[in-house]
């Protein structure tokens, strides 16, 4: 596709990125055009009646509008983009990216930062301190995507002209598949854990002991009996818990297509993690061994594998 | 797909921007500043309406009252507009246009929701300021204009940067204004002026001071009540003495027994007189409500913007521009001709009436050796016959000339001039009354004369063989101090000087006088140099640089060229802007947006930040019957845009087909 070919010839910018003083775009805004139309009407009226005060006013206002363009330009020059940090997110959710910038010397007001095609957010740089703003990107499909260009713009001071520059980054961001509850076949009696609170009596694991509640412990595991007796918050620990480990297998899940399966697996990974299970992931061409329970890195590894999954034979 | 237009869209900021509505106060303030220049010129109801509307809005904002519904406002607006337009009828002029503008300004603040609305309000305020300049243009108004620009621009800055403090916004606006002045001055000087209007609009119907086309007993005493300035004159050569400061404006030829009227059939002057005692001067009219230009007795040439009539009066041409500044030349004309045929109107009298005066005139004329001697006789009559000069003489009735000469013997300048002229005509001597001004206060600060309405005067002219028209001013014998620049009988009468007044009082008066004169000089210079900067000034200026602009064609070309260049630049910008916007979307997005718009029309709003899948969910919830189509289109779009398909063209075609077939009906 043409867009891709073009992309190959685009140059990428590096952080930290200073506003390119000579390559700022600047154009009138919609209100700017309206003002010029109004000025034209005033001009024609004044010329017709040979009304010199009217001409003075028109020229003064017009000159001010033009001079303000210089102020708009100046407002943007001297800003520097420092860092861009996208966090991985699930498909369909908006991705918030932390963008930090600061201004070298002088106040910068009424900046707007946003991704190309998305809404821009206002930010002011009243002094030299770094400010961070969180523009979002709409994500649609999973996988690794290139960051869209960041647009830094301003309409200071009169809202008549808009100046902006673009930052094109080579960075990519990761989008995990959207988790979707789905049916599966498995020997592991897994579902029971999803209901609220109580352990089914026919559970595989037996209750072993109580330990003090630590933040992050799943809420299903809290001993409400103990709490209701005024003994505080305790988490139930199950015997034989650490022994059980599951492997979430591609073949065990059912879905219309590969994407549905990936979504399903993603949901399972999340649930397993939340319930402190030890789990592994098996995809065609990939096998991730079960890692430690509650290991965020392991979760990330699995989700990344799901995000980047390519059907054998699928090209780039 | 990085591209500029996406950038534009992002920079445009999506849908609703963060907009704190409490800035409404400042927007209303901007409008108040805008209307402030008009307050004395607008009809009272308009001003009251605007202020009560804004006042209501102000209080409603504070107290949280609900605002009138949109439709009520529209109905009100249409009613008010209709009233103004119908009332003006065919005589709709600039003043009415300004009223409409103020009405719009009154209603606009009721409907401020978006950023754009507040910008439009600011532009309305600017427009009101400039329209005020069409009413009156003095130095003070220019200062007011600059202050208004700074204030309104300061508020504009605040509207755009809501967290900026007010004082800082004003400082920024002031800086902008002063930075803009050099460019503005340059544009002002070089931007070509037109000799004529492009189109004409009836000029405003203002209350007329000064002379009208009829003169009757009491006319002039009415005019002199006002101390308003009629005009100023700056002499290039010597300044005439007090008794030569006759400013000639209107010639009254026809008498019908009660009043004198202007003769309609006065032809234009053919010029070419011999002239002595020339004076060259600049006349700056203050009061432009009538066509007449009061030139020094006698104007001998006509500037290009005026017409010189054969009775030696000047009027501006009818192009509906009340021009203020004229470069004139006056002097004493050496007549070497006979009475022209059209001038015979100055012999006519009504058939009957004022018999006593006619008899007296005949008797006196027969006793005199010459016309001049006869004139002196009449003057002696006035001087020694028990006549008095008075601003409020008894009213005349019946045969008013008889009444004046034989009964009341009291009158103002028009009475004497009228009687003198009548007696001349009764003796068969062509005579006419001249209405104009006598006098003029010298302003040492500017080296010019100030002539006021209180200097209004009427005198007579008679035709003497071999001499032509000769001026006779009967007032000179009845009230000689009038010709010395003192008009004790007149507007100053109320300020009777108490000789016992303290010296300190006189000193204060003198200081006030100096201040007044100084201020007048400032106004005068501003008026002459800047506000009256005309095509001729421009030609002269450019001539000095070496650019010849005297040919009309050259001027028009320059004007057309400048406008074209300005339009071209702006148009170029605009096209570039549209081009960028047009490149905004790749085809897939364009089709998708068509699809979105169809759904929006059906009541499913779309925001820039809503992802296609989410929007599809919302749409399906609203219209489950269209589920298949909505999902199909959305999936296809997502595939094309985000999925890197192998054969995008065929998919695009399919998408286009689906979207065009899609309908919410």
């Amino acid at each position: 596709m043409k867009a891709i070919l073009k992309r190959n010839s685009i140059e990428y910018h590096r952080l930290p990125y200073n506003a390119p003083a000579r390559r700022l775009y600047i154009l009138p805004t919609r209100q700017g055009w309206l003002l010029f139309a109004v000025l034209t009407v005033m001009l024609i009226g004044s010329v017709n009646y040979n009304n010199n005060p009217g001409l003075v006013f028109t020229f003064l206002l017009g000159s001010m509008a033009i001079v303000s363009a210089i102020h708009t330009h100046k407002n943007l020059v001297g800003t520097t983009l420092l860092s861009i940090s996208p966090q991985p997110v699930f498909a369909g959710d908006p991705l918030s990216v932390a963008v930090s910038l600061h201004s070298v010397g002088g106040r910068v007001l009424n900046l707007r930062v946003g991704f190309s095609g998305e809404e821009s957010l206002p930010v002011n740089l009243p002094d030299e301190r770094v400010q961070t703003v969180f523009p979002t990107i709409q994500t649609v499909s999973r996988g690794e995507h290139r960051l869209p260009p960041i647009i830094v713009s301003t309409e200071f001071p009169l809202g008549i002209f808009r100046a902006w520059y673009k930052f094109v980054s080579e960075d990519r961001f990761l989008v995990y598949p959207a988790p979707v509850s789905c049916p599966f076949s498995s020997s592991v009696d897994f579902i029971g854990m999803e209901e609220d609170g109580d352990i089914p009596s026919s559970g595989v694991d037996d209750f072993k002991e109580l330990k003090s509640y630590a933040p992050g412990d799943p809420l299903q595991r809290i001993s409400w009996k103990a709490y209701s007796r005024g003994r505080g918050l305790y988490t139930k620990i199950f015997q034989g818990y650490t022994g059980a480990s599951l492997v979430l297998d591609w073949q065990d899940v059912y879905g219309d297509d590969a994407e549905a399966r990936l979504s399903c697996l993603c949901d399972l990974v999340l649930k397993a993690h939340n319930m402190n299970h030890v789990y592994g992931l098996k995809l065609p061409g990939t096998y991730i061994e079960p890692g430690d329970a509650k290991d965020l890195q392991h979760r990330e590894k699995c989700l990344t594998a799901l995000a980047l999954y390519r059907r054998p034979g699928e090209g780039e | 797909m990085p591209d500029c237009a996406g950038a534009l869209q992002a920079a445009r900021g999506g849908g609703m921007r963060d907009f704190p509505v409490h800035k409404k106060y400042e927007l209303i303030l901007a409008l108040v500043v805008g209307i402030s220049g008009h307050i004395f010129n607008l009809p009272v109801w308009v001003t009251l309406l605007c202020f009560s509307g804004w006042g209501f809005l102000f209080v409603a904002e504070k107290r949280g009252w609900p605002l009138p519904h949109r439709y009520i406002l529209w109905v009100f607006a249409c009613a008010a507009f209709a009233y103004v337009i119908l009332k003006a009828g065919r005589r709709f002029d600039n003043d009415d246009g300004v009223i409409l503008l103020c009405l719009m300004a009154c209603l606009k603040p009721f409907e401020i929701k978006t950023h754009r609305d507040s910008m439009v309000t600011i532009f309305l305020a600017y427009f009101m300021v400039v329209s005020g300049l069409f009413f009156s243009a003095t130095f003070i108004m220019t200062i007011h204009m600059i202050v208004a620009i700074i204030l309104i621009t300061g508020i504009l800055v605040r509207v755009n940067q809501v967290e900026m403090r007010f004082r800082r916004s004003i400082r920024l606006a002031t800086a902008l204004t002063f930075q803009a002045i050099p460019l503005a001055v340059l544009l002002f000087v070089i931007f070509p002026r037109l000799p004529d209007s492009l189109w004409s609009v009836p000029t405003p119907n203002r209350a007329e001071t000064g002379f009208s086309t009829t003169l009757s007993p009491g006319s002039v005493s009415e005019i002199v009540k006002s101390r308003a300035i009629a005009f100023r004159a700056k002499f290039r050569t010597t300044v005439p003495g007090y008794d030569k400061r006759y400013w000639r404006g209107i010639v009254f030829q026809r008498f019908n027994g009660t009043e004198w009227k202007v003769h309609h059939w006065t032809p234009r002057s053919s010029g070419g007189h011999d002239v002595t005692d020339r004076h060259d001067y600049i006349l700056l009219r203050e009061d432009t409500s009538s066509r007449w230009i009061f030139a020094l007795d006698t104007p001998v040439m006509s500037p290009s913007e005026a017409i010189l009539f054969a009775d030696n009066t000047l009027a501006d041409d009818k192009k509906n521009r009340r021009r203020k500044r004229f470069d004139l030349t006056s002097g004493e004309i050496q007549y070497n001709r006979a009475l022209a045929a059209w001038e015979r109107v100055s012999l006519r009298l009504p058939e009957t009436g004022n018999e006593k005066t006619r008899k007296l005139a005949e008797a006196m004329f027969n006793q005199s050796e010459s016309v001049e001697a006869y004139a002196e006789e009449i003057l002696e009559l006035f001087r020694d016959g028990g006549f008095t000069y008075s601003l409020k003489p008894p009213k005349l009735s019946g045969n008013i000339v008889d009444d004046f000469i034989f009964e009341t013997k009291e009158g103002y300048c028009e009475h004497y001039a009228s009687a003198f002229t009548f007696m001349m005509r009764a003796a068969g001597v062509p005579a006419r009354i001249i209405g104009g001004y006598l006098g003029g206060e010298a302003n040492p600060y500017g080296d010019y004369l100030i002539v006021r309405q209180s200097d209004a005067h009427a005198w007579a002219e008679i035709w003497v063989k071999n001499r032509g028209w000769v001026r006779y001013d009967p007032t000179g014998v009845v009230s000689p101090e009038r010709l010395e620049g003192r008009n004790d009988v007149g507007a100053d009468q109320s300020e009777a000087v108490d000789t016992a007044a303290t010296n300190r009082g006189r000193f204060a008066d003198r200081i006030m006088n100096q201040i007044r004169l100084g201020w007048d000089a400032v106004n005068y210079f501003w008026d002459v140099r800047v506000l009256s900067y005309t095509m001729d000034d421009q030609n002269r200026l450019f001539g000095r640089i070496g650019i010849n602009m005297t040919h009309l064609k050259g001027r028009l070309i320059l004007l057309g060229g400048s406008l074209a260049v300005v339009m071209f630049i702006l148009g170029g910008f605009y096209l570039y802007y549209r081009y960028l916007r047009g490149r905004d979307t790749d085809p897939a997005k364009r089709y998708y947006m068509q699809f979105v718009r169809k759904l929006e029309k059906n009541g499913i709003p779309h925001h820039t930040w809503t992802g296609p899948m989410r929007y599809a969910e919302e749409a399906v919830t609203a219209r489950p019957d269209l589920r298949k189509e909505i999902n199909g289109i959305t999936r296809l779009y997502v595939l094309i845009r985000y999925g890197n398909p192998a054969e995008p063209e065929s998919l695009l075609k399919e998408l286009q087909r689906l979207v065009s077939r899609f309908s919410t009906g």
Side-chain angles (χ1 to χ4, degrees), chain A residues 48 50 52 71 110 138 158, chain B residues 160-161 179 198 531 533 609:
Chain A
N48 176 53
N50 228 333
N52 279 311
H71 285 260
N110 198 10
Q138 277 305 309
L158 297 182
Chain B
N160 279 288
Q161 279 82 230
Q179 285 164 10
L198 290 167
L531 299 186
Y533 182 75
W609 59 83

Side-chain angles (χ1 to χ4, degrees), chain A residues 225-290:
Chain A
K225 265 197 213 144
Y227 185 70
S228 65
R229 290 200 193 127
R231 294 227 238 124
L233 282 174
Y234 286 94
T235 307
K236 300 182 244 197
I237 304 293
F238 293 92
Q239 188 179 27
Y241 182 62
T242 51
S245 77
L246 357 137
V247 172
L248 303 168
D249 198 331
W250 173 268
Q251 271 132 13
D252 288 339
V253 301
Y254 176 75
D256 285 340
D257 56 3
E259 296 302 323
R261 292 197 195 199
L262 289 170
S263 293
C264 183
L265 283 169
C266 180
D267 183 56
L268 291 175
V269 166
L270 292 176
K271 288 205 177 102
H273 180 84
N274 282 344
M275 289 180 222
N276 295 327
H277 285 296
V278 168
Y279 59 91
L281 186 64
K282 186 166 193 300
L283 300 173
T286 314
Y287 176 69
I288 299 178
E289 284 190 354

